[in-house]
Amino acid sequence: EVRLQESGGGSVQAGGSLTLSCTASGFNLADSAVGWVRRAPGKGCELIASTGDTDHIAYIEAVKGRFTFDQESATNTIYLRMSSLKPEDTAVYHCAAKTLGGPTWSAACESYSPYDAWGRGTQVVVSS
């Protein structure tokens, strides 16, 4: 069974740091396109960091220089290291992976997505 489980969310003041982790089972993250997706209250999903067919990691402009995507093959885990957090970073953060051909309906985003495997999400709240 394909599963993703996030952890590491929480509440932090602006300027603080958090590290999210996502552990996979049932498939190998290193062989899949993976990403971190967030959904802020009342907004749509944002794919904030992702890998594709290469080892290149793409970030949206809003998190460049503040967030770092890491992958640890030995534990089948990916990380999102977040620093200089801002109130606008408040969201539910999901890890997601493409293990099948897509697109696939994402209940988390209420839209079609290239990712078919999703974690349940972890809440990040940044207060000013």
Side-chain angles (χ1 to χ4, degrees):
E1 180 185 3
V2 169
R3 291 188 65 186
L4 291 169
Q5 179 66 56
E6 305 96 341
S7 62
S11 297
V12 65
Q13 288 192 324
S17 300
L18 283 174
T19 294
L20 309 183
S21 62
C22 171
T23 300
S25 58
F27 73 104
N28 191 347
L29 280 169
D31 297 333
S32 308
V34 297
W36 285 97
V37 178
R38 70 183 181 187
R39 189 169 189 182
K43 296 187 178 180
C45 280
E46 283 186 300
L47 176 60
I48 57 173
S50 62
T51 67
D53 295 331
T54 69
D55 291 334
H56 174 70
I57 299 170
Y59 298 93
I60 61 169
E61 197 63 35
V63 306
K64 280 183 181 177
R66 301 188 299 121
F67 290 12
T68 303
F69 181 120
D70 283 330
Q71 186 161 339
E72 187 175 77
S73 298
T75 58
N76 209 19
T77 299
I78 59 173
Y79 300 92
L80 186 68
R81 306 185 192 280
M82 308 184 293
S83 62
S84 301
L85 283 161
K86 304 175 181 180
E88 52 263 44
D89 294 318
T90 294
V92 176
Y93 286 71
H94 299 266
C95 58
K98 182 177 181 180
T99 69
L100 305 170
T104 306
W105 180 257
S106 164
C109 296
E110 299 177 307
S111 64
Y112 281 94
S113 168
Y115 302 118
D116 54 274
W118 289 78
R120 296 185 67 177
T122 185
Q123 177 76 55
V124 172
V125 176
V126 184
S127 57
S128 56

